[in-house]
Amino acid sequence: MSFAHIQITKLTEKQFLLGHVSPLEFYGVNNLRFRQLKEQFPDVVFVARGNELKVRGPENEIDRATGVVERLVRYIEKGGGLSEEAFNEIISGIMTQSRNGSGPEEGGDLIMHGSRGNIIRARTEGQREIMDAVTHNDIVFAIGPAGTGKTYTAVAMAVKALKEKQVRKIALCRPAVEAGENLGFLPGDLKEKVDPYLRPLYDALEDMLHFEKLKSYLEKNIIEITPLAYMRGRTLSNCFVILDEAQNATENQLKMFLTRLGRDSKAVITGDDSQIDLPRKQSSGLVHAARILTGVEGIAVIRTQPTDVMRHRLVKRIIAAYEDSDTERKKLSAEKRN
């Protein structure tokens, strides 16, 4: 006589009090977030009564589900709100741990709290690598596709260093080379010409500093935003320097920038080596510098990947399509030469 094996699953129940967290903020309009949470964990039963939430299910699933609930509550408590992007990242991000085993909301990923109480943190593996590299090196190259958060992460680390008095000043610059355009054709004085081109840097700063504080820092030149050409001849001490869009700096310009670094300073150089807008006869200083400086003590070269893209989901597909096209073009070119 044979008996069928019966597996008994141990059920666990946990109870949460949302405390001062608004039920509307947590559960969403018309309970939309609550439904998404339940869909994420189909084996778990969620019972909500106002500020009380009961979670019941298999022990292993309960641990994961309660981890998500705790992260959601903690995020709302710290930031005063929860965007749809943050909500989706938390409920899905808990399922994919980073290489070092920490989840997307672990304290190690936190950089700072922004101007609206929002939590600014490393959201992808590439951003975590940039954050770690900046912590342990004085010069960091962050190279990779558009939308991977290279500039945003660099600016966040700079603002953090300023707030914690690790540096006295932030200098942000870009080479004045644009995709098919020329600053000389824009109306206005130099500041009016340059400001639109440097807008991404302003956007990042506005996310991290209250308007009045940012205005004060800019007026006092504690935060300086300038074209790369204006860095020549200077020595930047006790300063966090960022060169953005560095793929459009020539070899001489990038050498000039790197040798501006003074005592107690850090530099982050960001760029996308697949979007070089320099004239064909000029080679990119970013590509050259990253090649010859790799392995130098105190310098880190981080390469973000298409998987780190934080923009519209189609951006990842667009980048992949262009990479496939470039690979095919190089293959055909090699075949013709042979």
Side-chain angles (χ1 to χ4, degrees):
M1 182 181 295
S2 62
F3 295 92
H5 177 69
I6 301 175
Q7 183 175 3
I8 300 175
T9 302
K10 182 180 179 182
L11 297 180
T12 305
E13 180 175 295
K14 290 190 178 181
Q15 179 177 325
F16 293 89
L17 290 175
L18 302 184
H20 298 295
V21 171
S22 164
L24 178 62
E25 192 70 43
F26 183 85
Y27 296 119
V29 177
N30 297 323
N31 285 326
L32 176 61
R33 288 177 175 171
F34 191 44
R35 291 199 299 272
Q36 289 177 277
L37 184 62
K38 290 193 285 188
E39 289 171 2
Q40 186 73 29
F41 298 97
D43 296 330
V44 176
V45 176
F46 295 85
V47 180
R49 290 189 180 87
N51 273 16
E52 182 181 282
L53 177 65
K54 290 183 179 179
V55 186
R56 184 170 62 252
E59 191 169 6
N60 62 327
E61 288 295 305
I62 281 290
D63 289 340
R64 291 157 65 186
T66 55
V68 168
V69 171
E70 288 169 352
R71 289 165 195 258
L72 289 170
V73 171
R74 188 163 64 246
Y75 193 107
I76 297 170
E77 285 178 338
K78 288 183 178 180
L82 180 67
S83 67
E84 289 306 310
E85 180 187 18
F87 173 79
N88 290 327
E89 284 182 9
I90 292 173
I91 68 167
S92 61
I94 190 69
M95 310 298 289
T96 53
Q97 304 295 324
S98 68
R99 291 177 202 163
N100 61 13
S102 62
E105 280 290 307
E106 291 297 330
D109 292 339
L110 176 68
I111 299 177
M112 59 186 291
H113 288 86
S115 58
R116 298 179 300 277
N118 49 313
I119 294 176
I120 295 173
R121 60 182 177 81
R123 298 183 177 186
T124 68
E125 186 60 30
Q127 291 175 17
R128 291 183 191 102
E129 289 181 355
I130 293 171
M131 186 174 116
D132 185 63
V134 171
T135 302
H136 296 99
N137 298 274
D138 286 337
I139 296 178
V140 174
F141 288 85
I143 305 170
T148 53
K150 304 180 300 294
T151 301
Y152 193 86
T153 304
V155 173
M157 293 299 288
V159 172
K160 179 184 179 184
L162 183 64
K163 283 186 170 183
E164 295 179 354
K165 302 187 186 306
Q166 297 172 15
V167 296
R168 294 179 182 174
K169 180 184 176 72
I170 295 174
L172 310 173
C173 61
R174 278 183 162 195
V177 177
E178 302 175 81
E181 298 175 359
N182 190 312
L183 287 174
F185 291 103
L186 295 174
D189 59 20
L190 177 64
K191 186 177 187 303
E192 290 171 327
K193 289 173 185 285
V194 169
D195 275 1
Y197 184 58
L198 300 175
R199 188 69 244 176
L201 300 176
Y202 284 108
D203 289 342
L205 288 170
E206 287 170 358
D207 227 18
M208 299 166 197
L209 293 166
H210 292 287
F211 175 76
E212 291 301 327
K213 177 65 75 173
L214 175 56
K215 182 181 177 183
S216 172
Y217 281 160
L218 290 169
E219 288 174 349
K220 295 176 181 176
N221 220 30
I222 294 173
I223 295 180
E224 176 186 359
I225 304 179
T226 183
L228 175 59
Y230 283 69
M231 303 297 284
R232 188 173 296 279
R234 301 177 60 185
T235 299
L236 298 168
S237 299
N238 213 318
C239 182
F240 198 117
V241 199
I242 296 174
L243 174 60
D244 193 33
E245 297 290 337
Q247 75 274 6
N248 291 329
T250 65
E251 291 183 14
N252 285 337
Q253 284 177 326
L254 199 41
K255 179 183 177 183
M256 178 273 291
F257 172 82
L258 291 170
T259 53
R260 299 309 92 204
L261 209 62
R263 293 179 181 274
D264 302 316
S265 290
K266 284 181 178 285
V268 178
I269 301 93
T270 69
D272 179 356
D273 53 7
S274 70
Q275 294 191 25
I276 299 171
D277 298 315
L278 289 167
R280 289 188 178 181
K281 292 182 180 180
Q282 288 186 321
S283 57
S284 170
L286 176 66
V287 175
H288 177 255
R291 184 178 71 251
I292 68 172
L293 296 176
T294 295
V296 175
E297 186 178 355
I299 298 177
V301 179
I302 306 299
R303 294 190 177 271
T304 58
Q305 304 299 325
T307 52
D308 294 310
V309 171
M310 297 295 295
R311 293 178 182 169
H312 193 287
R313 64 183 182 279
L314 288 178
V315 173
K316 291 183 182 181
R317 299 174 192 172
I318 290 168
I319 291 170
Y322 272 95
E323 287 181 344
D324 290 344
S325 175
D326 289 343
T327 301
E328 185 64 26
R329 190 186 305 125
K330 289 175 182 176
K331 181 180 178 182
L332 291 173
S333 179
E335 289 175 353
K336 286 180 181 179
R337 287 197 301 270
N338 295 331

